Structure formats: C-alpha cells, structure tokens
C-alpha cells in the first residue's frame, strides 16, 4: 500500500487502529471512537506546510534513537530496525 501525495509516493510500513470504548475524553485529538495512525518510511527531502482536516491533525518525524525508548514499541524494535536498514523509496 502506498500514500500518493502531490509529488511523492511513500511506502506504508504499518498502521495501528485506535478504538476507544469509554466516553470520549476531553480534548481527545483523534477521530472518535475509531482512528488510525499510519507509519511510512522515506527519506525526507522537503517538508511542506501541513494542512489538516477532520481526520488528520499533525505529523511527527521521529529518529530511531527516540523510538527505541517508547515502552509501547519495545516488542516492535526488531521490525523497526529491519525497516530502517532497508533503503527507502525515493
């Protein structure tokens, strides 16, 4: 699966579905009750202005050195390292 932007095609490496079973929390920043976070691997050559909508409200770029400290990613570190060792599409 690929995301096609105005000038780029980015390979999708994974996604996670978030599903909230409780009442919607105050200031909840994702679509409710279900939302997805998608993860791509690419070399960043240019960062354009982010324009969000009702389902997208931001982007984050994280180096592996920061990712490996997230407790919820500990079981995925081998996979993430495997992806990072592969040359991303440019």
């Amino acid at each position: 699966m690929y995301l096609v932007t105005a000038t780029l095609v980015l390979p999708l490496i994974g996604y996670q579905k978030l599903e909230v079973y409780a009442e919607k929390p105050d200031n909840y920043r994702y679509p409710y009750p279900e939302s997805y976070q998608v993860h791509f691997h690419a070399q960043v050559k240019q960062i354009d202005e982010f324009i969000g909508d009702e389902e997208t409200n931001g982007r984050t770029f994280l180096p592996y050195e920061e990712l490996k400290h997230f407790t919820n990613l500990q079981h995925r570190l081998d996979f993430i390292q495997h992806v990072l060792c592969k040359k991303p599409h440019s």
Side-chain angles (χ1 to χ4, degrees):
M1 174 180 253
Y2 291 88
L3 168 71
V4 180
T5 66
T7 57
L8 300 171
V9 176
L10 303 176
L12 176 68
I13 61 168
Y15 69 90
Q16 62 184 2
K17 179 181 178 180
L18 305 173
E19 190 169 359
V20 177
Y21 294 108
E23 290 185 30
K24 184 176 181 179
D26 293 337
N27 300 319
Y28 190 67
R29 52 186 267 196
Y30 303 110
Y32 175 85
E34 295 179 349
S35 63
Y36 291 86
Q37 293 178 340
V38 292
H39 309 279
F40 298 95
H41 181 226
Q43 293 177 342
V44 177
K45 295 181 180 179
Q46 176 179 324
I47 301 173
D48 294 328
E49 175 186 1
F50 178 82
I51 301 172
D53 59 23
E54 65 277 354
E55 292 194 6
T56 58
N57 60 16
R59 64 179 169 209
T60 303
F61 302 100
L62 297 172
Y64 179 74
E65 289 304 312
E66 286 184 39
L67 286 177
K68 69 182 187 181
H69 298 294
F70 286 35
T71 55
N72 63 324
L73 294 179
Q74 295 306 302
H75 66 288
R76 296 185 181 121
L77 289 180
D78 288 342
F79 171 72
I80 293 168
Q81 185 63 42
H82 172 77
V83 170
L84 293 177
C85 288
K86 293 186 170 288
K87 183 176 179 176
H89 295 37
S90 52

